[in-house]
Amino acid sequence: MRKKCNTVLATLAVGLMSVFGAQSAVAADTACPEVGSCKWKMATGWAGGPLMDIGAKAFAERLEQLSGGRMQVQVFPGGALGGALKVSETVKNGIADMGHLWMGYDWGKDTTTVLFGGYAGSFDSERMLHWLYEGGGVELQREFREKEFDVISFPLFIRTAEVFLHSRKPVRTLEDLQGLKLRTAGAWIEMSAAMGAAPVTTPGGEIYAALERGVIDATEWGTLWENISPGFSKVAKYLIIPGVHQPTAPFELVLNKRMWGKLTPADQALIETTAKLVTYESWLKIGQEDAKSLEFYREQGNEVIDLEPEVQYEARRVGKEWAGKQAEKSEWFARVLKSQEEFEKLWADADRYRNVKVDGKN
């Protein structure tokens, strides 16, 4: 593990040293030769919160910093430059130069997007990071998005396992899921329906009102910390964990191909390296803040409920079954799923050599 971490840190260090070293020797014919010479618009799917602050806006701030001010990004909230759930389309059509989104929002066009965004059958975030950056995932993501959606794509932001539900009703068992009106997105729409729920989808900015009015019984959105800012604890008494529907959730930076093609290789590498840096920073930030957040919900009077094992096992089973069916219909899905399954086999014994027992409980 130490060797793996050192490899990751060394890669980032080399990239950043190259970035800073290049600032004093920017080629005269570069597309972004001077401070403020490249100004871009970023569409997002977020009204605010951590996805905006330590994802989209953090990327804009880091890119301006690391480019010496040559590259500047104006970040727009969800819906300002197009549909909040259609960011990749907005970017492809040139309405925005780049976008920040969860790739699974495009699952209706190609279910392969769910494999890159995380679903009930995914591994955890640490393994997802390793698969993306060391196991060929980034390269597959770039190729898939460019060929099938005509945009350039890199990971940008990753969260740990989500909260399963903020709910107006207690949910512990499979029976409790039956007919539950829950807000979700991506392939979990189909999976939760298969488990008996009544799912709907809506942009993040509309969830609170729907929950408050009782239009929905429950919602999933982000992690413990991320869900503080939307205020779900005020209108939903029950907090249900863990997020078996979303063990990990990598997010995505998409870029317009024409805009991308105008950049020098050095500036393209700068954007990719910046996205990678912000992805690691978001993972660390969320992990730390999640650890502080459970007590917040207790103080708000929320009841914290642990899902019964039967629900967790069933969600995993349904997720894997769904993925197998998709692989039969899609060459791209089968190719990405095979890569992830091979990665899981490689890491099959990881818990044996990584987890040290210290108190008789783990």
Side-chain angles (χ1 to χ4, degrees), residues 23 34-38 63-72:
Q23 300 310 312
E34 301 172 349
V35 172
S37 56
C38 279
L63 187 61
E64 183 170 359
Q65 174 193 17
L66 298 177
S67 69
R70 295 184 298 112
M71 300 180 185
Q72 299 175 7

Side-chain angles (χ1 to χ4, degrees), residues 325-341:
K325 292 179 180 178
Q326 301 307 309
E328 294 175 358
K329 299 183 290 185
S330 165
E331 291 184 9
W332 258 115
F333 196 105
R335 180 179 170 189
V336 177
L337 182 63
K338 180 181 178 182
S339 175
Q340 292 184 343
E341 289 176 341

Side-chain angles (χ1 to χ4, degrees), residues 183-249:
R183 178 272 168 200
T184 188
W188 186 239
I189 295 172
E190 286 189 359
M191 296 177 199
S192 60
M195 294 173 67
V200 297
T201 193
T202 181
E206 301 174 12
I207 297 174
Y208 182 95
L211 196 58
E212 183 180 34
R213 296 196 306 268
V215 175
I216 55 175
D217 298 317
T219 185
E220 58 85 15
W221 177 249
T223 72
L224 289 166
W225 174 60
E226 290 180 280
N227 289 354
I228 290 177
S229 58
F232 300 144
S233 62
K234 300 175 184 177
V235 291
K237 177 182 178 180
Y238 301 99
L239 174 75
I240 294 94
I241 54 176
V244 294
H245 67 295
Q246 199 76 49
T248 182

Side-chain angles (χ1 to χ4, degrees), residues 38-81:
C38 279
K39 295 184 178 181
W40 298 309
K41 295 178 181 179
M42 172 186 275
T44 74
W46 334 123
L51 278 168
M52 180 68 85
D53 295 335
I54 65 170
K57 289 183 178 178
F59 171 79
E61 291 165 3
R62 282 295 195 189
L63 187 61
E64 183 170 359
Q65 174 193 17
L66 298 177
S67 69
R70 295 184 298 112
M71 300 180 185
Q72 299 175 7
V73 178
Q74 184 179 5
V75 179
F76 290 83
L81 294 180

Side-chain angles (χ1 to χ4, degrees), residues 86-358:
K86 297 183 178 181
V87 172
S88 64
E89 182 178 312
T90 298
V91 173
K92 175 186 175 181
N93 293 336
I95 298 170
D97 303 293
M98 60 182 68
H100 189 226
L101 70 151
W102 181 59
M103 200 193 298
Y105 288 155
D106 285 338
W107 80 291
K109 296 180 180 178
D110 193 318
T111 56
T112 308
T113 56
V114 173
L115 294 177
F116 293 106
Y119 71 110
S122 291
F123 23 70
D124 63 23
S125 291
E126 184 187 6
R127 285 167 171 77
M128 179 62 80
L129 281 166
H130 278 84
W131 175 72
L132 284 168
Y133 292 116
E134 297 291 330
V138 166
E139 291 78 12
L140 280 172
Q141 178 173 324
R142 170 78 183 271
E143 182 184 354
F144 166 69
R145 272 302 217 182
E146 188 166 3
K147 286 186 175 180
E148 301 301 322
F149 289 83
D150 203 30
V151 292
I152 304 298
S153 171
F154 300 109
L156 174 59
F157 187 101
I158 189 170
R159 60 165 56 126
T160 50
E162 295 182 356
V163 171
F164 183 63
L165 290 173
H166 291 270
S167 180
R168 295 162 60 97
K169 302 178 180 180
V171 178
R172 293 181 176 85
T173 67
L174 286 172
E175 184 178 353
D176 294 334
L177 271 178
Q178 305 311 300
L180 189 76
K181 294 181 292 183
L182 66 91
R183 178 272 168 200
T184 188
W188 186 239
I189 295 172
E190 286 189 359
M191 296 177 199
S192 60
M195 294 173 67
V200 297
T201 193
T202 181
E206 301 174 12
I207 297 174
Y208 182 95
L211 196 58
E212 183 180 34
R213 296 196 306 268
V215 175
I216 55 175
D217 298 317
T219 185
E220 58 85 15
W221 177 249
T223 72
L224 289 166
W225 174 60
E226 290 180 280
N227 289 354
I228 290 177
S229 58
F232 300 144
S233 62
K234 300 175 184 177
V235 291
K237 177 182 178 180
Y238 301 99
L239 174 75
I240 294 94
I241 54 176
V244 294
H245 67 295
Q246 199 76 49
T248 182
F251 287 71
E252 177 190 30
L253 171 70
V254 290
L255 304 111
N256 179 271
K257 284 184 68 175
R258 292 182 295 278
M259 164 264 187
W260 180 256
K262 295 177 182 178
L263 300 176
T264 64
D267 281 346
Q268 290 177 347
L270 171 55
I271 290 174
E272 183 176 3
T273 301
T274 303
K276 185 176 183 179
L277 173 62
V278 173
T279 298
Y280 276 104
E281 289 179 333
S282 67
W283 180 50
L284 295 171
K285 178 69 173 178
I286 292 173
Q288 180 70 359
E289 295 300 328
D290 277 352
K292 305 175 186 177
S293 297
L294 202 58
E295 187 58 32
F296 166 84
Y297 293 102
R298 294 193 179 102
E299 292 173 352
Q300 295 295 304
N302 288 180
E303 181 179 341
V304 181
I305 296 176
D306 291 274
L307 278 174
E308 291 293 329
E310 63 171 4
V311 183
Q312 301 189 44
Y313 299 150
E314 180 64 6
R316 182 77 172 177
R317 185 196 68 78
V318 169
K320 288 293 190 181
E321 182 179 83
W322 177 87
K325 292 179 180 178
Q326 301 307 309
E328 294 175 358
K329 299 183 290 185
S330 165
E331 291 184 9
W332 258 115
F333 196 105
R335 180 179 170 189
V336 177
L337 182 63
K338 180 181 178 182
S339 175
Q340 292 184 343
E341 289 176 341
E342 289 175 348
F343 175 89
E344 283 191 291
K345 290 179 182 178
L346 179 66
W347 276 60
D349 291 327
D351 289 342
R352 292 181 61 193
Y353 58 79
R354 291 159 62 86
N355 292 352
V356 178
K357 296 185 182 300
V358 294

